Amino acid sequence: MKAIGIVCSPRKNGNSDVLVREILKSSGIKENEIFYPNEMNIKGCQACYSCKERGRCAVEDDMGKIYDAIEKADIVVFGAPIYMSGVTAQFKTVLDRLFAFLGPAPEFVSRLPRGKRAALVVSQGYEDAKEYEAHINQMKNAIASIGFEDVRVLVAPGLNGLGEAIGKPDMVKEARIIGESLVRA
């Protein structure tokens, strides 16, 4: 098995990163890799629909590395904190570019092989875990629409300091449970 993480936070070693790494570690999968879109050259979707004709995105940038890794992975763990009451620019950019995995309209059938699983880690500064529930459900549904059959979600509220999630035993435990469950599914 192979697993990858896509940490869509501008803060490396931040809370999303910490929890994504914990999920990957607890999965027991030795072959894993983490991508940091904030440090990569990834342009936004150009809405050219070339991917619907060619089966591959026409934009040539670092997103190609993420496409290749997703195609080879059994499990993908997304880290996407809530910023300014919504998704980060990094997550939105990656998500828009994942549109390339969908076939032409009106069906938009996924080109990904069946059986891929995903997890979504959403860290947020606000204490109420339900405050951004609509955004989180939208994120989860968008990931599922790309072709992931099972999307587990870890909401990590009340986190503002860099990497402070590692000091929250309940969050770390939940991340470990998700990691273990992804390989058993």
Side-chain angles (χ1 to χ4, degrees):
M1 290 189 89
K2 181 175 172 128
I4 66 167
I6 304 172
V7 179
C8 298
S9 171
R11 297 193 320 171
K12 197 167 187 177
N13 298 315
N15 296 302
S16 296
D17 191 10
V18 164
L19 294 169
V20 166
R21 284 188 272 126
E22 196 62 45
I23 289 172
L24 291 173
K25 184 173 88 174
S26 65
S27 75
I29 298 172
K30 300 295 181 223
E31 188 179 352
N32 64 59
E33 183 176 10
I34 299 179
F35 294 92
Y36 298 92
N38 196 57
E39 298 176 358
M40 301 171 77
N41 175 29
I42 300 175
K43 297 177 178 80
C45 176
Q46 301 301 298
C48 65
Y49 281 75
S50 181
C51 58
K52 306 304 164 234
E53 297 164 15
R54 298 178 11 181
R56 188 91 176 161
C57 182
V59 178
E60 294 186 20
D61 61 9
D62 289 344
M63 190 66 191
K65 296 172 188 173
I66 294 176
Y67 289 142
D68 292 342
I70 288 173
E71 288 172 347
K72 294 173 186 166
D74 301 289
I75 296 168
V76 178
V77 182
F78 293 89
I82 296 288
Y83 277 18
M84 294 300 295
S85 301
V87 301
T88 61
Q90 294 83 352
F91 180 75
K92 182 65 171 129
T93 300
V94 168
L95 184 62
D96 285 352
R97 292 290 299 279
L98 293 180
F99 182 64
F101 282 127
L102 298 177
E107 296 85 15
F108 293 114
V109 175
S110 177
R111 292 187 177 109
L112 287 176
R114 294 184 61 81
K116 290 191 182 287
R117 290 159 289 194
L120 171 63
V121 173
V122 184
S123 60
Q124 62 185 52
Y126 201 76
E127 292 285 342
D128 183 357
K130 294 188 181 287
E131 179 68 20
Y132 303 110
E133 193 171 44
H135 291 299
I136 295 165
N137 286 334
Q138 183 181 26
M139 295 160 72
K140 176 185 178 184
N141 293 336
I143 292 168
S145 76
I146 301 302
F148 293 95
E149 294 179 8
D150 187 11
V151 182
R152 313 283 169 94
V153 178
L154 169 56
V155 179
L159 300 174
N160 289 297
L162 185 68
E164 72 178 295
I166 200 66
K168 306 279 186 181
D170 290 344
M171 284 182 199
V172 172
K173 180 180 179 183
E174 190 174 347
R176 289 178 180 156
I177 289 168
I178 290 172
E180 292 166 3
S181 72
L182 284 168
V183 292
R184 287 194 311 261

